[in-house]
Amino acid sequence: YTACFEGISDRRDWWSSSPVERFRGAPDRLNDYMSGRRFEDIIQALRFTNIPQPQYNDRFHDVRQMIEAFNNHYIENYTPGWISCIDESMIDW
């Protein structure tokens, strides 16, 4: 949910006690659903791989296994058809 909004550089804005403003901070508050501290604890512990860190610097190590699984699943389960469309306006560059 929080990744859908651009321009919010500080995650803590989602748990701010200040009122929601139209052009400043997060557009919603998540205090009713989860504490900010609990969210940070989950983010620190969240991992998408069980493979040990390589000897070289791999910036994508934490998500590489998930990306490979996604791509393999896509190859096995998606067959492009005549109605498939990729439109550059669908992607936020």
Side-chain angles (χ1 to χ4, degrees), residues 15-76:
W15 287 272
S16 173
S17 58
S18 64
V20 174
E21 296 180 30
R22 185 171 182 178
F23 298 108
R24 186 168 169 262
D28 198 2
R29 298 295 182 259
L30 303 178
N31 299 323
D32 292 341
Y33 308 103
M34 179 185 300
S35 73
R37 177 69 185 157
R38 182 175 183 199
F39 179 82
E40 291 298 330
D41 288 344
I42 291 171
I43 290 296
Q44 287 179 356
L46 189 62
R47 298 292 178 262
F48 295 101
T49 186
N50 56 2
I51 298 172
Q53 185 78 26
Q55 295 296 323
Y56 57 91
N57 184 20
D58 182 4
R59 292 176 43 196
F60 296 101
H61 170 74
D62 292 340
V63 294
R64 186 171 306 286
Q65 187 178 13
M66 181 184 69
I67 291 170
E68 289 173 359
F70 176 85
N71 289 337
N72 290 334
H73 181 77
Y74 208 81
I75 289 167
E76 294 170 5

Side-chain angles (χ1 to χ4, degrees), residues 73-81 84-85:
H73 181 77
Y74 208 81
I75 289 167
E76 294 170 5
N77 296 289
Y78 177 71
T79 304
S84 298
C85 175

Side-chain angles (χ1 to χ4, degrees), residues 78-89:
Y78 177 71
T79 304
W82 66 273
I83 201 164
S84 298
C85 175
I86 297 176
D87 186 347
E88 66 274 1
S89 68

